Amino acid sequence: MTLDDLASTSGEWLRGSGPESDIVISSRIRLARNLADFPFISRATDADRAEIEKILHGRVEALRTSGKAPGESIYLNVNDLADVDRQFLVERQLISREHASSEGARAVFVDPSECFSVMINEEDHLRIQVMHSGLALADAWEQATKLDDMIEEQVTYAYNERLGYLTACPTNTGTGVRVSVMLHLPALAITRQIEKVFKSLHKINLAVRGLYGEGSQATGDFYQISNQVTLGQTEEELGKKVADVVPVLIDYERQARSFLIENSQETLHDRVSRAYGILRTAQTISSEETMHLLSSVRMGINLGLINDLSIPTVNKLLIHTQPAHLQKLSGVELDQADRNIERATYLRRHLNGESKGNISHN
């Protein structure tokens, strides 16, 4: 498998097949780890970074050769990638924006289904990430722990008996675990209840971020909910805090959708049909507008207002209409104006059924 192969597929987390996938896009577990014999990345020399990358490259490759990781997994030297390829990996949620924009030796190991990626030399020496479709935190946790254990058999992590795993950022020290769930909450936004929900989440130390995690703004009513601090809490406690609050958010969103159906059905139907119509006919359209319109369409499908489109298709379009994806799929670099035209062409082609089946799933 190559990076170009990824462009024409959709990962497992986009399939819309997991539990509660009408509202929960994906569940993610991320583990931050560092090697005991090297300084943190912020203090590492170029030689340190190169040696860390060399060591961890060998360790993760050993997982593939031993059959513990899929043979089609790919190892990418992020420093050598073109800007559009790095941005592509960010859009696909396989690396962070910080990993893409930093400098020096760094890499990512990705399995073919995109259920996991292993970032090397991001903020920490090692970031293990597992993503599953829908509300599937237990499954994601099980896979992340297994990966972590397999790597730890081959290296010595920076660990303190009192503090736990030592990390570059104090908020990750302890378990080094970040538990997050990506939610689609359009009805709470329309009914103006979303800010009240966010304030409640902040009170219990849960962070709310946009589609691309820390530092990103919410677009199209897609939000990531995650723990903020790991020190002083066990993995089970961290997972439980997120796992307990997500069903409440799901219930609030469903209540808001029911309220809109009962009290504003014509306005809601108009919102959804206008969004679908614009996406199917636009000649030029921005990424941000596409996200907002697809958000309305996605809600419309779940409410039975659109019957000729599936959730997996919308999930795919959310990612495949991002700037780097468009350029990878078209095979040429495009400026913003040309991307807007290409995006509109892509949407018309797929939403009007002209190329159904052209993009496959893993």
Side-chain angles (χ1 to χ4, degrees), residues 5-266:
D5 293 329
L6 283 180
S8 59
T9 64
S10 292
E12 189 272 345
W13 66 275
L14 284 168
R15 291 184 180 175
S17 57
E20 316 289 2
S21 56
D22 56 328
I23 293 170
V24 182
I25 305 291
S26 62
S27 300
R28 185 185 72 173
I29 301 292
R30 193 204 67 200
L31 304 177
R33 301 289 188 256
N34 289 279
L35 303 186
D37 297 333
F38 292 89
F40 291 138
I41 290 298
S42 59
R43 293 180 175 272
T45 65
D46 289 345
D48 289 331
R49 291 178 66 112
E51 185 63 20
I52 292 165
E53 189 273 328
K54 180 180 177 182
I55 290 170
L56 291 175
H57 184 182
R59 300 304 183 267
V60 297
E61 283 288 4
L63 298 180
R64 178 163 57 183
T65 57
S66 66
K68 294 178 180 177
E72 300 82 13
S73 302
I74 56 173
Y75 186 91
L76 299 166
N77 187 326
V78 176
N79 198 47
D80 291 344
L81 294 177
D83 288 344
V84 69
D85 289 333
R86 288 198 290 266
Q87 182 59 32
F88 168 83
L89 291 170
V90 173
E91 292 173 1
R92 201 58 158 248
Q93 308 275 330
L94 295 172
I95 66 173
S96 65
R97 296 188 302 173
E98 293 73 19
H99 199 41
S101 61
S102 65
E103 297 180 353
R106 62 200 193 281
V108 63
F109 184 65
V110 181
D111 88 306
S113 68
E114 301 173 51
C115 283
F116 76 78
S117 66
V118 179
M119 286 176 275
I120 295 172
N121 285 348
E122 195 234 27
E123 183 180 43
D124 293 286
H125 300 159
L126 194 65
R127 288 281 177 94
I128 299 167
Q129 173 182 280
V130 172
M131 292 181 69
H132 283 206
S133 174
L135 185 56
L137 286 172
D139 291 341
W141 173 250
E142 182 180 356
Q143 186 177 10
T145 302
K146 187 179 295 184
L147 266 172
D148 187 35
D149 289 345
M150 287 190 293
I151 294 173
E152 193 170 15
E153 288 174 0
Q154 306 177 67
V155 299
T156 301
Y157 286 151
Y159 185 85
N160 178 277
E161 288 295 332
R162 182 172 64 88
L163 297 174
Y165 291 102
L166 304 179
T167 57
C169 180
T171 59
N172 289 322
T173 296
T175 62
V177 176
R178 182 63 59 88
V179 180
S180 63
V181 175
M182 189 188 300
L183 300 164
H184 182 216
L185 306 174
L188 285 174
I190 294 169
T191 57
R192 301 184 179 181
Q193 299 178 67
I194 199 75
E195 288 301 324
K196 182 173 68 175
V197 170
F198 290 167
K199 287 178 182 177
S200 299
L201 292 173
H202 287 309
K203 287 179 181 178
I204 57 173
N205 291 320
L206 292 179
V208 180
R209 298 185 171 95
L211 189 64
Y212 297 114
E214 194 166 355
S216 64
Q217 299 297 312
T219 304
D221 306 315
F222 295 95
Y223 307 92
Q224 282 195 41
I225 311 299
S226 65
N227 62 292
Q228 293 194 83
V229 179
T230 72
L231 188 62
Q233 298 183 66
T234 66
E235 289 94 339
E236 290 76 14
E237 288 170 338
L238 290 169
K240 187 175 186 300
K241 178 178 281 191
V242 177
D244 285 350
V245 78
V246 170
V248 177
L249 297 176
I250 291 171
D251 187 48
Y252 284 164
E253 173 65 19
R254 289 193 177 137
Q255 287 181 35
R257 293 182 185 190
S258 295
F259 174 84
L260 291 173
I261 286 289
E262 292 172 9
N263 298 279
S264 307
Q265 186 168 2
E266 289 185 1

